[in-house]
């Protein structure tokens, strides 16, 4: 690892400097969850009390671990499908998924264009494939993957265009390669990798805007409070726009873009630049207070959307937090007393407060007054328009947009696998009722003809002959009718069935038909 360190000091005059890597601490007890709930780019997964994994959502690349329907490119499932038994953890990513089973084996499925599944190929996988043993957790980026083993070693695979594999190269890897020891957790986003060591050290590699940094090697980001005390990082939750850091004192720090009442967007680095460039003495003190008030206003309408180059976080929550989560437009944290607090966009009821009104609550000093959704909560997963939570008793709750019913569920509902009534299959068939074949043709060779035209079928379609002479056959998969060589002149009636096998929403349906073949 190259000797770079990024020092981040939090005070009224925040500064960033590069120094030499030097300091270490003792091990820190860091937050961890069971990862029995997860929301990816367009799919989700939960593991119930029997260790059964259920998944739903988009399956374009096989990210659900369900073999794709060749007749349906998007292959979407609007309610949970059983995927695997004996599952311990589920991690849903960008068109792919990782499953850790109770025996510690890692199984991957979905998109694999850069080798992010780690199976030695760039072949997409529709069914989970075993990658390695003794795995603790996984983090999935757009095109790279981080695997944390039980012994604390970090392994990475996939795209390395910006050095995000942290191995000192820009070369992609199709299999997991060992990066370092002593790792507690990893967070990936876009072309970046954030690593938290067992002692609370935060490292980063990947795309960087700092010319001094070689982004192929992990460099340290240090946190200092107003009193010069070095803080340790317990967790980081990131998306394309924002970063949330949970420190060892239970405080939460934010880095990214926020918007004020008037639609103006600011970053903390922008404000520092204004102060350092234009103001000093009493004028600086005045504008420091001015910007502090503006920050309070911005927090009341906290709705950041735009990716920023901000380098300087500010304190969002003073203390008492043990877990943080962030999606693009919603944010949540779990306090030490296991209460769940959430705020942000709520157009589909994803905040769970009984309404569809957005919640950007006011703050006092450093602590937000947020909406308490649930108690006794272990973990929370945030999607674009729905939310999943798991409490300490192992029960799972969901709320927000329900694609199956097309309704907004605005309060937490207990997650249950129910037998849902499927819709009638809309299959429609045109059949050639009378097919004429000249006897001269079948005297010397077989004849293959099309009899069935199928429309709007849901699921795969299969064909079966029910009655008729053996000289006339029907292909099970294509429905093409074969008239064997040597058949005699005559009129032959055939009974057959066409079956649309259905999918997650539509039931199977069988249509029986008759047609006549005339050999003349």
């Amino acid at each position: 690892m190259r000797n770079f360190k990024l020092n981040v000091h939090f005070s009224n005059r925040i500064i960033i400097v590069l120094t030499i890597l030097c300091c270490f601490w003792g091990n820190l007890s860091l937050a961890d969850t069971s990862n029995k709930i997860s929301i990816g780019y367009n799919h989700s997964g939960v593991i119930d009390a029997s260790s059964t994994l259920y998944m739903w959502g988009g399956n374009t690349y096989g990210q659900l671990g369900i073999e794709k329907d060749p007749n349906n490119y998007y292959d979407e499932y609007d309610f949970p499908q059983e995927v695997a038994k004996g599952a311990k953890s589920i991690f849903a990513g960008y068109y792919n998924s990782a499953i850790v089973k109770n025996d510690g084996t890692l199984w991957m499925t979905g998109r694999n264009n850069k080798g992010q599944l780690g199976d030695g190929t760039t072949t997409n996988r529709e069914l989970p494939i075993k990658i390695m043993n003794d795995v603790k957790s996984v983090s999935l980026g757009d095109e790279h993957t981080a695997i944390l083993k039980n012994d604390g070693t970090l392994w990475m695979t996939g795209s390395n265009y910006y050095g995000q594999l942290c191995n000192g190269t820009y070369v992609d890897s199709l299999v997991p390669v060992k990066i370092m020891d002593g790792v507690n957790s990893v967070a990936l986003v876009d072309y970046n990798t954030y690593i938290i060591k067992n002692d609370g050290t935060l490292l980063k590699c990947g795309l960087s805007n700092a010319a001094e940094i070689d982004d192929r090697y992990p460099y340290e980001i240090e946190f200092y409070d107003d009193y010069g005390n070095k803080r340790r990082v317990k967790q980081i939750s990131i998306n394309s726009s924002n970063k949330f850091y949970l420190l060892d004192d239970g405080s939460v720090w934010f880095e990214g873009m926020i918007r004020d009442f008037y639609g103006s967007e600011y970053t903390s680095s922008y404000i520092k630049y204004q102060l350092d460039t234009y103001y000093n003495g009493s004028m600086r003190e005045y504008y420091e207070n001015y910007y502090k008030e503006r920050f309070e206003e911005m927090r009341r309408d906290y709705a950041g959307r735009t990716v920023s180059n901000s380098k300087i976080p500010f304190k969002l929550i003073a203390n008492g937090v043990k877990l943080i989560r962030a999606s693009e437009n919603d944010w949540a944290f779990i306090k030490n007393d296991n209460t769940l607090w959430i705020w942000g966009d709520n157009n589909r009821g994803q905040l769970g407060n009984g309404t569809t009104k957005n919640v950007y609550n006011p703050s006092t000093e450093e602590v937000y007054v947020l909406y308490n959704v649930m108690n006794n909560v272990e973990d929370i997963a945030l999607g674009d328009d729905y939310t999943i939570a798991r409490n300490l008793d192992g029960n799972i709750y969901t709320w927000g947009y329900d694609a199956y019913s097309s309704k907004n569920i605005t309060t937490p509902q207990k997650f249950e696998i129910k037998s849902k009534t499927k819709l009638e299959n809309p299959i429609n068939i045109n059949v050639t009722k009378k097919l004429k074949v000249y006897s001269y043709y079948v005297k010397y060779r077989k004849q293959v003809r099309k009899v069935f035209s199928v429309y709007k079928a849901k699921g795969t379609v299969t064909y079966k002959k029910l009655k008729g002479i053996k000289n006339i056959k029907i292909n099970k998969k294509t429905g093409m009718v074969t008239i064997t060589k040597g058949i005699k002149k005559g009129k032959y009636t055939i009974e057959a069935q066409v079956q649309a096998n259905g999918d997650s929403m539509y039931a199977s349906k069988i249509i029986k038909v008759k047609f006549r073949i005339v050999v003349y």
Side-chain angles (χ1 to χ4, degrees):
M1 179 171 58
R2 292 294 180 88
N3 293 328
F4 284 114
K5 181 186 289 184
L6 189 64
N7 289 317
V8 183
H9 298 260
F10 303 103
S11 64
N12 287 335
R13 298 180 181 180
I14 305 174
I15 60 173
I16 298 178
V17 296
L18 286 169
T19 63
I20 301 299
L21 185 63
C22 62
C23 302
F24 297 91
W25 311 294
N27 285 352
L28 180 68
S29 178
L30 302 176
D32 191 18
T33 66
S34 60
N35 276 99
K36 296 189 182 299
I37 58 175
S38 186
I39 298 178
Y41 176 71
N42 70 345
H43 64 296
S44 306
V46 301
I47 299 173
D48 70 8
S50 68
S51 296
T52 301
L53 169 63
Y54 295 90
M55 300 196 72
W56 67 96
N59 196 36
T60 307
Y61 295 94
Q63 60 264 43
L64 298 185
I66 301 171
E67 193 168 9
K68 284 178 54 59
D69 179 351
N71 297 320
N72 185 350
Y73 174 76
Y74 295 102
D75 206 18
E76 293 181 346
Y77 293 80
D78 290 334
F79 60 90
Q81 307 291 307
E82 182 177 325
V83 175
K85 299 283 190 181
K88 180 181 179 182
S89 302
I90 174 63
F91 306 88
Y94 185 73
Y95 294 125
N96 57 6
S97 300
I99 305 163
V100 177
K101 293 196 172 183
N102 289 329
D103 61 3
T105 56
L106 170 63
W107 299 72
M108 301 281 290
T109 187
R111 193 182 187 191
N112 195 31
N113 61 311
K114 295 292 183 178
Q116 57 265 47
L117 299 190
D119 65 348
T121 76
T122 56
T123 302
N124 298 335
R125 300 291 181 178
E126 297 180 10
L127 297 174
I129 183 171
K130 182 180 176 182
I131 304 301
M132 60 196 312
N133 300 317
D134 197 34
V135 173
K136 177 184 178 183
S137 65
V138 180
S139 184
L140 301 173
D142 285 2
E143 294 179 337
H144 71 302
T145 300
I147 302 166
L148 182 61
K149 301 192 76 172
N150 287 317
D151 61 3
T153 57
L154 172 64
W155 300 69
M156 299 195 69
T157 185
S159 174
N160 199 27
Y161 187 82
Y162 290 99
Q164 60 263 43
L165 297 189
C166 311
N167 63 353
T169 76
Y170 294 120
V171 180
D172 296 350
S173 179
L174 302 183
V175 296
V177 293
K178 183 179 177 181
I179 305 302
M180 65 178 69
D181 299 310
V183 176
N184 176 269
S185 62
V186 186
L188 309 184
V189 65
D190 297 333
Y191 309 109
N192 295 290
T193 300
Y194 293 81
I195 302 166
I196 300 177
K197 303 274 284 184
N198 288 333
D199 60 7
T201 302
L202 175 63
L203 305 175
K204 178 184 182 296
C205 60
L207 181 63
S208 173
N209 294 316
E212 307 94 326
I213 295 174
D214 187 342
D215 50 19
R216 298 172 298 173
Y217 298 91
Y219 59 89
E220 184 178 355
I221 301 176
E222 282 191 331
F223 289 77
Y224 289 88
D225 61 22
D226 292 343
Y227 306 100
N229 299 314
K230 189 175 182 181
R231 307 309 323 182
R232 294 176 282 184
V233 180
K234 294 183 68 175
Q235 186 202 349
I236 178 172
S237 186
I238 54 181
N239 55 48
S240 297
S241 303
N242 306 309
K243 305 179 186 71
F244 291 83
Y245 304 92
L246 175 61
L247 304 188
D248 60 335
D249 60 358
S251 64
V252 178
W253 296 76
F254 166 79
E255 175 185 345
M257 183 73 75
I258 59 178
R259 181 180 300 154
D260 68 12
F261 276 133
Y262 309 102
S264 301
E265 293 178 329
Y266 294 93
T267 66
S268 48
S269 56
Y270 167 81
I271 291 176
K272 176 189 176 299
Y273 171 79
Q274 294 290 316
L275 294 173
D276 289 347
T277 304
Y278 299 109
Y279 307 111
N280 54 44
S282 60
M283 288 296 292
R284 182 184 179 94
E285 182 178 356
Y286 170 82
Y287 278 100
E288 280 182 345
N289 291 329
Y290 168 78
Y291 279 123
K292 181 179 180 180
E293 293 176 0
R294 292 305 301 275
F295 263 123
E296 295 302 322
E297 291 179 358
M298 285 188 281
R299 292 181 189 184
R300 294 188 186 100
D301 187 33
Y302 188 77
R305 299 289 189 278
T306 307
V307 177
S308 76
N309 294 323
S310 172
K311 298 295 182 184
I312 307 170
F314 65 85
K315 186 181 286 187
L316 189 66
I317 309 295
N319 54 54
V321 177
K322 73 174 187 178
L323 184 71
I324 53 178
R325 291 284 187 256
S327 68
E328 289 295 329
N329 303 317
D330 294 289
W331 306 270
F333 64 88
I334 299 174
K335 285 189 172 184
N336 290 330
D337 62 2
N338 300 314
T339 56
L340 170 64
W341 301 76
I342 188 169
W343 78 105
D345 280 2
N346 196 31
N347 59 310
R348 294 292 193 175
Q350 59 263 44
L351 298 188
N353 64 355
T355 75
T356 55
K357 183 179 179 180
N358 296 340
V359 176
Y360 306 124
N361 284 334
S363 60
T364 58
E365 295 298 328
E366 297 170 331
V367 183
Y368 263 100
V369 180
L370 303 174
Y371 190 84
N372 177 208
V373 179
M374 292 178 64
N375 300 320
N376 197 35
V377 179
E378 178 198 58
D379 198 5
I380 176 76
L382 302 172
D384 285 344
D385 54 14
Y386 64 100
T387 303
I388 307 174
R390 187 176 191 270
N391 69 13
L392 294 172
D393 298 325
N395 294 317
I396 295 172
Y397 295 83
T398 61
W399 59 94
Y401 182 64
D402 179 9
Y404 182 78
S405 65
S406 298
K407 294 181 179 179
N408 297 326
I409 309 300
T410 60
T411 58
Q413 305 293 314
K414 190 172 182 180
F415 177 84
E416 295 179 343
I417 303 297
K418 297 180 179 179
S419 177
K420 295 182 180 288
T421 302
K422 292 188 176 184
L423 302 175
E424 181 180 357
N425 204 303
I427 182 174
N428 187 23
I429 303 174
N430 287 337
V431 180
T432 301
K433 296 292 186 180
K434 186 176 182 181
L435 180 65
K436 292 184 177 181
V437 179
Y438 186 31
S439 60
Y440 176 81
Y441 294 143
V442 293
K443 182 177 181 180
Y444 300 103
R445 67 186 61 165
K446 67 180 181 181
Q447 298 294 305
V448 179
R449 302 295 175 88
K450 182 178 180 180
V451 173
F452 307 102
S453 296
V454 179
Y455 307 93
K456 298 182 179 180
K458 298 296 182 179
T460 57
V461 178
T462 55
Y463 305 83
K464 183 180 180 180
K465 189 178 79 170
L466 300 177
K467 292 182 179 180
I469 64 171
K470 64 180 181 179
N471 301 74
I472 298 174
K473 301 177 180 179
I474 300 176
N475 186 286
K476 180 180 179 181
K477 294 183 178 180
T478 66
M480 297 300 289
V481 174
T482 299
I483 304 156
T484 60
K485 182 177 69 172
I487 190 172
K488 296 181 180 180
K489 293 181 180 181
K491 298 178 181 180
Y492 304 97
T493 299
I494 305 297
E495 292 186 21
Q497 73 174 34
V498 181
Q499 179 171 343
N501 292 292
D503 55 22
S504 62
M505 291 187 64
Y506 293 91
S508 175
K509 184 175 182 179
I510 294 175
I511 298 178
K512 294 182 179 181
V513 297
K514 290 183 179 181
F515 60 94
R516 178 177 292 184
I517 294 179
V518 178
V519 180
Y520 64 97

